[in-house]
Amino acid sequence: MSSARALFEDKATVRKIAILARLELDDPTLELLGRQLGDILGYVDQLNAVDTSGVEPTVFAGETTRFRPDDLRIRLAPGASLDNAPDHSSGAFRVPKVI
Amino acid sequence: MSNALTDYSLCALRDALDRREVLAVDVAQAYLDRVSAHDPVIRAYLTVDAEGALQRASEIDSNRAAGGPLGPLAGVPIALKDIFLTKGLRTTCASRILEHFVPPYDATVVTRLREAGAVILGKLNMDEFAMGSSTENSAFQQTKNPWDTTRTPGGSSGGSSAALAAQLCAGTLGTDTGGSIRQPAALCGVVGLKPTYGRVSRFGVIAFASSLDQVGPMGWTVRDAAALHEVIAGFDPQDSTSSDRPVPTGHSRTPVGGRLDGVRVGVPTEYFPETGLTPDVRLKVTEAIGKLRALGAEIVPVSLPHSPYAVATYYVIATAEASSNLARFDGVRYGHRAKADDLLSLYLRSRGEGFGMEVKRRIMLGTFALSAGYYDAYYGKAGQIQTLIRRDFEQAFERCDVIATPTSPSTAFRLGERTEDPMQMYLADIFTISCNLAGLPGLSLPCGFDADGLPIGLQLLGRAFDESMLFRVGCAFEDSTDHHVRRPPSLQTGGVVTGQEAQS
């Protein structure tokens, strides 16, 4: 059994990753995901069989990224940005009190 | 039964509209009627924009009557996977978290389609955030395969492939991160192209894995896909990865009966494994390669030795990028917001309620692969193997001009058959994923049917930015076969008209 697989058997680890991922999950879901992620990582472990010494990783498979001047471009009227907001007030997005 | 307006392929319809034999408004109405009649069973559409479509079609007709300027797709009815932002028209990505989202702007490809005169009929179902291979991960409905409604249309662009096969639109766009255009095209007996990475703008397309995502056309024929590709491809300053290389044009008007003399077709042994490939798929794809030889092509054995590692590599890279891209859905600026007293709970709960299981699974996997202590072992390693997969293709393309493989290891599987086992579902993309990892173009086209009458797809892979070769080989193959004009008997069509009949 791979180390990653064993790691996912521990519910506390799965819960920690869920919080990092900002996902609220109930206990049965945590258990199910832990098992499935363990299986998937067990499959991924076959990558360890490949000798990659001295191989540069690919960052992305396209041509070079194009850069442009970082100038101000207004694409949306302020109102249009708020139309889909769950809650807004005085032209700003509203969230629960932070401090 | 006589031909209906919904029996004309996109190119045939474009030409009939140009010759003023039909009106755009009649075509749009015919499609809307057909959607009303058949979509309650097929369930391809998430949103139908009847009013918008008829209004646009009527504008096109007026323009044409007045001799005004018309685009290359003037009056052609198109539907879009629900991942493309459409100004004023709900865009959900088949997720609860975006159930009520109405975009304030259009994706670049949508702008280009509108400028070309396309009539947008509506938005099509998909796996939530394009994560899946069966469209069963939609939060809203289950799309059926028109060839057998107990089976999947494939995914993630399964609404697109089903709508085409059932003649509920004349053309459509999908997205392909690991096979999401080609696999559903194969499973529904239609044509799908994943263009080269950088060929088509992704601005306004909801991101899944940005280093792999690509937008592409789907149609009934290779020429239909080429006609759409010509409109959507090309440089866009809004997408920093988009390329300014010249876009191939004219392939939608390829004369019938092309030969393939001088074309070298590579056949990789790794794509015809002893196990995991159904006998009917092996037989029909082998016959298709024989047909390419008969058309003059030279068949060359090639090897892509790192292919067996593609699925594992992909599920590290794609989920890592997804976990980052989907961080934007936080319940603050748009999308679903749960009730919560503090900000952290708002994030946790909104995302917990808004995302479906497959999306959660992939976000979790990606978060783990990027987390401290595991990054090098997973993300770093996967990036290195991606390099080896790209090199395999570079070496293969020194010996051939195009590579021919099966698109999918099996025909359409039954709904529910793989939903409990994510690994089984991931293996549906075993032949399509390498193409994304290498950034290459790939075309799937119909090459026959299995014993149950289900469609089989032939996949053609090309060099970067050589979509022209795929169109050339695809058109020659299509002209010498009739798989692409066959339709599910239960859908009662009058027979597909491609406009090529008179020439052949």
Side-chain angles (χ1 to χ4, degrees):
Chain A
M1 181 177 287
S2 76
S3 57
R5 213 171 205 160
L7 199 69
F8 277 90
E9 278 178 5
D10 177 11
K11 210 170 6 174
T13 308
V14 186
R15 196 186 304 277
K16 191 181 139 206
I17 295 165
I19 290 172
L20 283 174
R22 298 289 187 259
L23 291 170
E24 185 172 85
L25 304 173
D26 58 23
D27 278 355
T29 307
L30 279 173
E31 212 163 288
L32 177 68
L33 280 178
R35 201 166 57 241
Q36 291 174 331
L37 293 175
D39 285 349
I40 295 166
L41 286 167
Y43 178 81
V44 167
D45 277 345
Q46 65 174 293
L47 298 184
N48 294 327
V50 184
D51 179 7
T52 52
S53 45
V55 177
E56 280 296 310
T58 294
V59 179
F60 82 117
E63 298 179 308
T64 50
T65 303
R66 231 164 250 286
F67 291 92
R68 58 166 176 79
D70 186 18
D71 48 15
L72 180 68
R73 288 189 284 182
I74 297 173
R75 302 243 167 261
L76 293 175
S81 326
L82 291 169
D83 282 348
N84 282 288
D87 192 7
H88 64 94
S89 149
S90 316
F93 299 105
R94 235 164 99 115
V95 292
K97 200 161 142 185
V98 178
I99 315 169
Chain B
M1 190 185 293
S2 63
N3 296 122
L5 290 173
T6 50
D7 287 333
Y8 288 78
S9 75
L10 182 145
C11 287
L13 201 49
R14 172 196 69 191
D15 296 343
L17 285 156
D18 278 351
R19 290 193 300 261
R20 303 191 185 201
E21 292 166 7
V22 293
L23 287 172
V25 77
D26 292 337
V27 175
Q29 190 61 58
Y31 268 100
L32 292 168
D33 290 347
R34 194 168 163 83
V35 169
S36 301
H38 292 281
D39 206 46
V41 175
I42 304 298
R43 308 214 70 190
Y45 278 83
L46 288 176
T47 305
V48 177
D49 184 18
E51 197 185 327
L54 291 171
Q55 192 190 328
R56 182 69 182 132
S58 149
E59 283 167 19
I60 299 282
D61 287 335
S62 307
N63 263 355
R64 201 185 301 272
L70 291 165
L73 298 177
V76 173
I78 302 290
L80 298 164
K81 184 178 185 179
D82 208 18
I83 199 168
F84 298 102
L85 300 193
T86 42
K87 187 174 182 179
L89 185 63
R90 186 176 79 123
T91 301
T92 66
C93 229
S95 182
R96 290 268 171 232
I97 212 160
L98 286 177
E99 189 169 2
H100 306 292
F101 182 68
V102 180
Y105 61 94
D106 277 331
T108 296
V109 290
V110 174
T111 304
R112 289 187 181 179
L113 283 174
R114 290 195 204 277
E115 285 170 359
V119 170
I120 295 171
L121 296 171
K123 308 296 289 290
L124 298 167
N125 200 21
M126 55 185 283
D127 284 298
E128 183 179 6
F129 287 103
M131 297 178 184
S133 307
S134 67
T135 313
E136 286 165 295
N137 295 329
S138 167
F140 303 118
Q141 63 194 35
Q142 178 57 63
T143 301
K144 312 282 175 39
N145 189 318
W147 292 90
D148 177 346
T149 53
T150 67
R151 292 175 190 270
T152 171
S156 67
S157 308
S160 297
S161 60
L164 282 171
Q167 297 180 200
L168 304 179
C169 64
T172 164
L173 299 187
T175 57
D176 190 315
T177 306
S180 280
I181 287 174
R182 291 161 287 153
Q183 185 258 15
L187 269 44
C188 285
V190 298
V191 174
L193 172 72
K194 182 206 96 75
T196 309
Y197 188 80
R199 181 61 101 184
V200 182
S201 166
R202 289 95 46 84
F203 178 76
V205 184
I206 297 169
F208 162 13
S210 306
S211 79
L212 305 169
D213 293 343
Q214 188 54 221
V215 174
M218 299 170 75
W220 299 355
T221 70
V222 175
R223 288 176 181 83
D224 288 3
L228 286 166
H229 182 259
E230 192 173 322
V231 166
I232 61 170
F235 178 64
D236 176 14
Q238 310 256 48
D239 178 348
S240 65
T241 63
S242 98
S243 166
D244 60 2
R245 290 181 185 235
V247 173
T249 56
H251 291 281
S252 72
R253 299 182 194 275
T254 301
V256 167
R259 295 272 309 166
L260 298 176
D261 301 291
V263 175
R264 296 168 303 166
V265 177
V267 179
T269 47
E270 295 83 1
Y271 282 66
F272 295 85
E274 290 300 316
T275 55
L277 179 63
T278 60
D280 284 346
V281 173
R282 180 192 302 275
L283 175 69
K284 294 301 171 184
V285 172
T286 305
E287 284 178 8
I289 292 166
K291 177 72 87 176
L292 299 178
R293 184 191 280 120
L295 287 164
E298 181 192 347
I299 309 301
V300 187
V302 295
S303 180
L304 299 166
H306 293 94
S307 304
Y309 303 106
V311 172
T313 303
Y314 174 86
Y315 276 93
V316 174
I317 293 172
T319 58
E321 293 183 20
S323 72
S324 170
N325 269 327
L326 271 63
R328 74 193 57 177
F329 302 101
D330 56 8
V332 172
R333 291 151 301 154
Y334 46 77
H336 173 73
R337 176 184 287 194
K339 292 200 189 325
D341 296 330
D342 63 89
L343 201 54
L344 180 62
S345 306
L346 185 143
Y347 294 150
L348 289 166
R349 217 163 287 160
S350 299
R351 292 162 61 81
E353 291 174 2
F355 290 135
M357 269 305 276
E358 181 61 26
V359 175
K360 286 173 179 163
R361 204 153 33 229
R362 296 202 194 188
I363 291 175
M364 290 282 285
L365 188 58
T367 302
F368 171 72
L370 292 177
S371 64
Y374 297 98
Y375 180 93
D376 287 338
Y378 289 96
Y379 193 73
K381 185 80 179 178
Q384 289 176 307
I385 295 173
Q386 187 181 4
T387 302
L388 297 175
I389 289 170
R390 295 178 66 185
R391 284 186 195 160
D392 284 354
F393 279 102
E394 283 164 17
Q395 284 164 13
F397 280 121
E398 285 172 9
R399 307 185 55 212
C400 64
D401 306 301
V402 62
I403 289 173
T405 80
T407 306
S408 164
S410 72
T411 52
F413 42 93
R414 291 198 187 278
L415 294 168
E417 193 179 289
R418 302 191 188 179
T419 42
E420 299 305 315
D421 186 351
M423 231 15 269
Q424 268 305 107
M425 190 69 93
Y426 295 173
L427 290 170
D429 294 331
I430 194 160
F431 298 145
T432 47
I433 274 176
S434 294
C435 166
N436 300 78
L437 291 169
L440 304 175
L443 178 74
S444 180
L445 67 165
C447 73
F449 295 82
D450 72 2
D452 295 322
L454 297 168
I456 295 169
L458 168 70
Q459 177 176 240
L460 300 173
L461 304 174
R463 296 191 182 97
F465 296 101
D466 196 10
E467 285 84 1
S468 287
M469 178 59 77
L470 303 183
F471 292 141
R472 180 185 165 190
V473 177
C475 285
F477 180 79
E478 208 170 68
D479 290 346
S480 64
T481 58
D482 67 352
H483 313 300
H484 61 293
V485 295
R486 287 178 58 180
R487 284 292 177 268
S490 62
L491 288 167
Q492 300 168 344
T493 69
V496 169
V497 182
T498 64
Q500 309 302 325
E501 294 83 0
Q503 298 176 42
S504 53

